[in-house]
Amino acid sequence: MLHSIIEMLNSIIEMFHSIIGAITGENDRKKIRGTVVLMKKNVLDFTDFRSSIIDRVYELVGKGVSLQLVSAVHADPTNGLQGKVGKPAYLKGWITTITPSTATAGEESAFKVTFDHDAEIGQPGAFIIRNNHRNEFYLRTLTLEDVPGHGRIHFVCNSWVYPAYKYDTDRVFFTNQAHLPSETPGPLRGYRESELVNLRGDGTGELKEWDRVYDYAYYNDLGNPDRHGKYARPVLGGSVEYPYPRRGRTGRPPSETDPNTEGRLPLLMSLNIYVPRDERFGHIKLSDFLAYALKALVQFVLPEFEALCDSTPNEFDSFQDVFDLYEGFKVPDGPLLDKIKDNIPLEMLKELVRTDGEGLFKFPTPQVIKEDKSAWRTDKEFAREMLAGLNPVLIRLLQEFPPESKLDPEVYGNQNSSITKEHIENHLDGLTINKALEKKRLFILDHHDTLMPYLRRINTTSTKTYASRTVLFLKDDGTLKPLAIELSLPHPDGDKFGAVSKVYTPAEHGVEGSIWQLAKAYAAVNDSGYHQLLSHWLNTHAVIEPFVIATNRQLSVLHPINKLLDPHFRDTMNINALARQILINAGGVVESTVYPSKYAMEMSSVVYKNWVFTEQALPADLINRGMAEKDSDAPHGLRLVLDDYPYAVDGLEIWSAIETWVEDYCSFYYKTDEMVEKDSELQSWWKELREEGHGDKKDEPWWPKMHTVKELIDTCTIIIWVASALHAAVNFGQYPYAGFLPNRPTISRRFMPEEGTPEYEELKSNPEKAFLKTITAQLQTLLGISLIEILSRHSSDEVYLGQRDTPEWTLDATPLKAFEKFGRKLADIEENIIQRNGDERFKNRVGPVKMPYTLLYPTSEGGLTGKGIPNSVSI
């Protein structure tokens, strides 16, 4: 009935407009017809019925959505020589285009709009849009057909447009033709510059959801001193002691207890944390569900799991208890199930906890135990995962023996390794240590110097762990075997007395075999923490956010470098904001599940002191770790020291493809180095990135000067590599490798059992139980694998490397052809990866667990796949 009335009213309005047009002669003027594609708000979230009714009333009285074309060729002397602005045209059919309440998120609607042709406008280069409704909408595109003298003109918008009363200035969108600042049509320059000014904001006030402001802040929002003193945390960034990349500013007022700490949002409001609206998770993808699942996990599931685990033994007694997590485990009726059912919508419940109606909880079986439940315990798999696992970015060539520490001996005493030739020389296949070093056959996974300065404090918490060094030998078949693991503690009399260390060597049987399994577990705990906090969070999520902010503040959407980089920034600010709210905050999930506990983020700040932008390039990283040498005759100009290094082999192919694409693209717009130097926006971008975004590093000599085309190509290649392939390599393997936590424990809760103690006797009599009582506890395991399962999933509409969300992202044919070539190269790389994984000569690609290395396989379907390189740090 309502629908019929609205249709009738709309017909009356159309007839009325036709009569007026006939009287005034409007109908006889030449028209430019266009189509606007947008997504109404009420398709999303919960239907805002009241605002929808008000919107329809506004339409009836002529206050709808208006668009005005802006000339790219004719300036208006009365408007500061900005492009002439045409008469307003209004979207047609808003009232009759009713989105059903059952519509799926992301459903779009097309609206017609008709402009009067004005010869003084000529070629439109932009348009102004005013939303006179009460609701925002997501504007996807505007397409003009048959513009006299110019044909079809397409605008890619991809932006939320809020009601006009929310803005101080009009919203302006440009055609998808890229222009360097100096080549921008004169009538559009003022609009281009004004848009950037709007995006920078004025640095004051609390930012609201409709604000489009990109600005910087320190990490002063992790602590919550108002809750309790134990939740106070140092400010990261802005100091010599705690340098850090900048995050997006929210402008929230300070906490009541500490004026230097930003006040926190209540947990229920987590999804409302400010990021510019266009940086929020898209509703088409599953990320909103993922964000909700994270919130639900922390808010509803954790407290009840905690109660459950407190009322039952808080330990796994055997590996079978852990396997039961993937085969289904019964949770008693009671507060847990009730709380979940009350607070989590059914479709999310199915994904989050996989209840089958019988109260059985079940996690997907991680790939690492899918084919063989015990192969993860082998030395060969332990070593292989340093080359083809979750954290393949740390192993390095051992170039001196014994390994030396770089810690200041004045502060920390002698921290050099206590591993001796007697520990390892009988296991070098007949080589001496010097010969093995010379032949580049010794490698090390070294967490000692990173952890030792914090270890005394970490061990005052419930964590009891060591700083580890693992030395490995390259066998003739191309695999690595561990030779020794050194576990070190601070000296009980003080740091200046050096380390107290013990060295463990491989054993297979009896209590010695059990001790060796524990030694590997302590090394894995070190590696898990380093991976999560540094390889993953710091070196991808945190370091990329300043590039997102600087790009939006200083590079216009018309700028070719903005068009190049923009897809690689999708959702990064949103996932980082969410992480600050519930994952890396004081008392958050990371502190609860990873061994550095309350010192986790502080430790990542100390490691950032050694971060070098240019060393994030894969070739530079491999050379820096001694894993490759320059060789002009080798593929990619590098010769790997270890041929069967899956991460490096696949990574170099991806790196080279990105580099070639970026070179093709940048060379089209920048014919000379002088063009780079004289690009005002580019120079402002690079200056702000160094001085503000990574401001604590502004005086470092290694920053590229941005004076040459090559420096621009190298810089953009690094940015894209970090945001796409590097993040994929360290993120999407989390559940496949670490979803079975005994393989990648994140916490150790007691030290190595000493002979003559009850713990040692338990290790002899029940080694599985002793092992499980040492590593991550039951509750933390449930929480940890719930988290990494969510974070390891691809959304259903993910956009992968070599793809764009619209084929018309630029009008320039040469870059479009270069991008197609990039896509074909990535498809070839997929074939290469499949071929290498099937080649039995490469034993590190599949390993004892029969798990092919696919983390750098460019594309994927949605879900938990262990492959796929999204364009951006989007989860």
Side-chain angles (χ1 to χ4, degrees):
M1 180 68 177
L2 176 63
H3 192 278
S4 300
I5 294 171
I6 290 173
E7 278 193 324
M8 183 176 68
L9 287 170
N10 200 58
S11 299
I12 293 169
I13 291 168
E14 288 290 325
M15 190 176 3
F16 177 72
H17 287 163
S18 296
I19 293 169
I20 296 296
I23 294 170
T24 61
E26 287 284 325
N27 294 353
D28 300 327
R29 293 184 184 173
K30 198 163 189 178
K31 305 294 184 184
I32 298 174
R33 304 194 186 281
T35 302
V36 170
V37 176
L38 60 79
M39 186 165 51
K40 292 184 180 182
K41 182 197 174 191
N42 67 322
V43 180
L44 320 168
D45 309 323
F46 298 100
T47 302
D48 188 341
F49 185 73
R50 179 174 172 273
S51 289
S52 296
I53 292 297
I54 293 174
D55 287 351
R56 288 165 184 161
V57 171
Y58 277 31
E59 284 285 329
L60 291 174
V61 297
K63 289 188 175 181
V65 177
S66 70
L67 295 89
Q68 295 171 276
L69 300 180
V70 178
S71 176
V73 290
H74 298 301
D76 182 352
T78 66
N79 188 27
L81 293 179
Q82 295 195 112
K84 280 186 173 290
V85 179
K87 290 182 179 180
Y90 289 85
L91 293 192
K92 297 177 181 177
W94 187 278
I95 295 176
T96 55
T97 309
I98 295 178
T99 305
S101 59
T102 56
T104 58
E107 202 163 301
E108 296 171 347
S109 303
F111 296 86
K112 298 300 180 184
V113 62
T114 303
F115 299 90
D116 289 333
H117 173 59
D118 184 344
E120 291 192 355
I121 296 294
Q123 181 181 355
F127 71 91
I128 295 168
I129 188 167
R130 287 182 64 85
N131 174 11
N132 295 307
H133 292 155
R134 304 293 294 179
N135 268 326
E136 69 271 24
F137 54 79
Y138 186 75
L139 181 62
R140 178 72 71 190
T141 58
L142 165 64
T143 306
L144 304 178
E145 304 293 349
D146 299 322
V147 177
H150 303 285
R152 180 178 179 274
I153 296 180
H154 188 64
F155 299 79
V156 176
C157 307
N158 289 336
S159 182
W160 284 94
V161 178
Y162 274 77
Y165 71 86
K166 298 282 192 184
Y167 297 128
D168 294 328
T169 56
D170 287 326
R171 293 298 311 275
V172 179
F173 293 93
F174 302 91
T175 64
N176 55 342
Q177 173 65 61
H179 293 289
L180 294 175
S182 61
E183 297 171 354
T184 306
L188 297 181
R189 285 182 185 174
Y191 290 105
R192 176 175 182 151
E193 292 164 5
S194 296
E195 178 70 356
L196 286 174
V197 170
N198 292 337
L199 291 170
R200 291 176 200 139
D202 62 8
T204 64
E206 182 171 359
L207 297 168
K208 304 300 183 184
E209 67 171 270
W210 52 85
D211 287 318
R212 303 171 56 238
V213 171
Y214 294 78
D215 203 355
Y216 303 99
Y218 301 138
Y219 276 70
N220 65 343
D221 61 341
L222 302 178
N224 191 359
D226 290 350
R227 181 181 174 191
H228 191 281
K230 69 179 181 179
Y231 296 109
R233 295 291 181 271
V235 173
L236 305 184
S239 67
V240 174
E241 186 178 10
Y242 298 121
Y244 221 62
R246 302 300 186 256
R247 62 169 175 92
R249 185 178 79 85
T250 68
R252 292 199 305 269
S255 67
E256 295 178 7
T257 311
D258 178 8
N260 294 319
T261 296
E262 187 170 277
R264 290 188 58 79
L265 285 178
L267 193 60
L268 278 170
M269 302 290 287
S270 293
L271 298 188
N272 295 340
I273 188 168
Y274 174 79
V275 292
R277 187 68 171 92
D278 290 344
E279 302 300 330
R280 281 188 177 273
F281 289 149
H283 285 72
I284 304 172
K285 62 185 284 185
L286 289 177
S287 292
D288 262 322
F289 153 68
L290 296 177
Y292 190 100
L294 281 173
K295 187 178 80 166
L297 179 72
V298 176
Q299 183 177 345
F300 303 121
V301 181
L302 174 58
E304 302 304 332
F305 264 138
E306 194 162 8
L308 173 72
C309 294
D310 283 348
S311 63
T312 59
N314 194 21
E315 303 291 351
F316 296 112
D317 292 326
S318 67
F319 288 132
Q320 186 56 51
D321 286 353
V322 186
F323 293 136
D324 286 345
L325 297 178
Y326 318 107
E327 293 160 11
F329 62 101
K330 179 77 173 173
V331 176
D333 287 334
L336 173 60
L337 285 181
D338 292 343
K339 186 80 90 169
I340 288 173
K341 290 172 184 173
D342 289 346
N343 291 288
I344 305 178
L346 180 61
E347 63 275 12
M348 297 180 183
L349 178 63
K350 288 176 183 173
E351 285 294 317
L352 183 61
V353 292
R354 282 172 187 64
T355 179
D356 59 2
E358 298 298 320
L360 280 181
F361 282 70
K362 186 179 179 182
F363 293 97
T365 302
Q367 285 173 268
V368 77
I369 57 167
K370 191 168 279 186
E371 300 297 327
D372 187 322
K373 287 187 175 180
S374 61
W376 65 273
R377 302 192 74 181
T378 62
D379 289 358
K380 185 177 288 188
E381 179 62 23
F382 172 70
R384 185 191 79 93
E385 289 186 20
M386 300 178 198
L387 304 172
L390 185 51
N391 194 30
V393 296
L394 203 60
I395 187 172
R396 62 178 176 86
L397 182 71
L398 185 59
Q399 296 177 314
E400 80 283 322
F401 189 86
E404 295 180 359
S405 170
K406 294 180 181 177
L407 293 175
D408 184 352
E410 293 289 320
V411 178
Y412 295 103
N414 180 12
Q415 295 287 339
N416 292 336
S417 176
S418 61
I419 300 174
T420 66
K421 71 175 187 176
E422 286 76 20
H423 287 122
I424 68 172
E425 200 158 54
N426 290 336
H427 305 282
L428 301 180
D429 292 0
L431 299 177
T432 63
I433 287 178
N434 286 339
K435 204 67 178 172
L437 288 170
E438 182 185 323
K439 286 181 169 288
K440 301 184 181 347
R441 301 282 290 272
L442 290 175
F443 296 84
I444 186 169
L445 186 69
D446 192 347
H447 294 289
H448 184 280
D449 284 4
T450 302
L451 197 51
M452 184 56 76
Y454 275 86
L455 194 53
R456 193 184 301 276
R457 281 174 284 174
I458 288 170
N459 283 340
T460 63
T461 69
S462 58
T463 292
K464 300 292 179 278
T465 198
Y466 302 89
S468 69
R469 291 184 177 105
T470 303
V471 175
L472 307 104
F473 177 70
L474 176 61
K475 296 166 63 179
D476 291 337
D477 67 358
T479 63
L480 293 175
K481 69 174 180 181
L483 299 173
I485 295 174
E486 178 186 47
L487 302 178
S488 302
L489 289 170
H491 197 285
D493 294 334
D495 289 349
K496 65 181 180 180
F497 293 99
V500 177
S501 304
K502 192 166 182 178
V503 178
Y504 300 88
T505 55
E508 292 186 17
H509 306 294
V511 71
E512 292 81 8
S514 299
I515 286 173
W516 174 243
Q517 290 295 333
L518 279 177
K520 289 193 294 181
Y522 288 117
V525 166
N526 275 195
D527 201 56
S528 292
Y530 191 101
H531 161 262
Q532 197 62 272
L533 296 169
L534 306 172
S535 303
H536 183 203
W537 167 258
L538 175 66
N539 288 340
T540 63
H541 284 260
V543 301
I544 280 293
E545 186 161 357
F547 289 92
V548 183
I549 300 169
T551 299
N552 281 280
R553 286 169 57 87
Q554 299 296 343
L555 295 180
S556 164
V557 293
L558 290 168
H559 200 290
I561 301 304
N562 181 306
K563 289 183 179 293
L564 172 68
L565 296 179
D566 181 68
H568 304 288
F569 298 151
R570 180 192 192 205
D571 295 342
T572 301
M573 289 186 74
N574 202 159
I575 192 65
N576 285 2
L578 191 63
R580 297 196 313 272
Q581 181 66 13
I582 61 177
L583 295 181
I584 60 173
N585 59 300
V589 178
V590 168
E591 286 193 359
S592 302
T593 59
V594 180
Y595 70 84
S597 188
K598 64 182 287 188
Y599 301 106
M601 291 300 292
E602 183 181 328
M603 203 169 92
S604 75
S605 164
V606 172
V607 172
Y608 175 66
K609 291 178 181 180
N610 299 319
W611 182 81
V612 177
F613 173 71
T614 51
E615 290 179 3
Q616 307 313 300
L618 179 60
D621 168 55
L622 292 171
I623 291 169
N624 199 38
R625 290 189 282 124
M627 301 300 288
E629 299 170 339
K630 288 184 179 179
D631 184 344
S632 57
D633 295 329
H636 322 297
L638 284 186
R639 182 175 55 81
L640 291 174
V641 170
L642 204 163
D643 291 335
D644 187 12
Y645 183 0
Y647 163 73
V649 173
D650 297 358
L652 283 171
E653 288 195 354
I654 298 290
W655 169 271
S656 180
I658 295 171
E659 187 176 46
T660 300
W661 150 237
V662 172
E663 183 175 2
D664 289 346
Y665 183 87
C666 291
S667 299
F668 176 77
Y669 295 101
Y670 296 92
K671 305 300 185 187
T672 66
D673 292 340
E674 185 181 27
M675 292 180 72
V676 172
E677 281 199 84
K678 291 190 173 179
D679 184 333
S680 56
E681 286 185 10
L682 188 73
Q683 295 302 324
S684 295
W685 170 69
W686 194 238
K687 182 176 189 292
E688 181 174 286
L689 189 282
R690 296 190 328 270
E691 296 181 1
E692 296 289 339
H694 283 278
D696 299 328
K697 295 277 187 180
K698 64 183 177 182
D699 297 323
E700 298 286 0
W702 40 254
W703 285 109
K705 304 296 183 189
M706 203 54 72
H707 290 167
T708 67
V709 178
K710 185 179 187 309
E711 286 179 321
L712 175 61
I713 291 167
D714 291 346
T715 295
C716 292
T717 303
I718 292 172
I719 294 168
I720 294 172
W721 163 260
V722 170
S724 60
L726 179 60
H727 179 257
V730 297
N731 183 74
F732 293 102
Q734 289 188 87
Y735 196 82
Y737 284 102
F740 181 67
L741 221 59
N743 184 52
R744 297 279 302 176
T746 57
I747 290 174
S748 51
R749 295 174 288 147
R750 60 185 191 181
F751 294 122
M752 184 72 82
E754 297 289 342
E755 200 167 352
T757 63
E759 290 81 9
Y760 190 85
E761 292 304 312
E762 183 180 46
L763 190 64
K764 286 166 64 175
S765 63
N766 194 341
E768 280 191 15
K769 186 171 185 178
F771 182 95
L772 291 166
K773 284 172 75 170
T774 301
I775 64 166
T776 317
Q778 189 181 49
L779 168 65
Q780 291 159 320
T781 296
L782 294 169
L783 179 59
I785 63 178
S786 297
L787 170 66
I788 63 174
E789 186 199 347
I790 292 166
L791 298 183
S792 300
R793 287 180 172 272
H794 290 297
S795 66
S796 59
D797 75 326
E798 190 62 83
V799 184
Y800 296 94
L801 194 63
Q803 302 175 355
R804 293 269 176 153
D805 59 4
T806 174
E808 297 185 78
W809 57 274
T810 181
L811 285 181
D812 294 316
T814 301
L816 285 173
K817 287 179 182 176
F819 190 66
E820 288 176 10
K821 183 179 81 170
F822 178 44
R824 290 193 300 271
K825 181 61 178 176
L826 292 172
D828 291 342
I829 292 171
E830 291 189 341
E831 292 299 317
N832 295 344
I833 290 172
I834 292 170
Q835 187 175 3
R836 285 192 291 267
N837 283 346
D839 191 330
E840 293 185 359
R841 292 176 301 162
F842 302 130
K843 300 186 184 303
N844 295 323
R845 297 203 67 93
V846 176
V849 294
K850 301 180 180 63
M851 179 179 174
Y853 185 71
T854 55
L855 290 175
L856 288 174
Y857 187 91
T859 59
S860 174
E861 57 277 11
L864 203 60
T865 65
K867 64 178 181 178
I869 304 175
N871 269 327
S872 62
V873 180
S874 58
I875 191 64

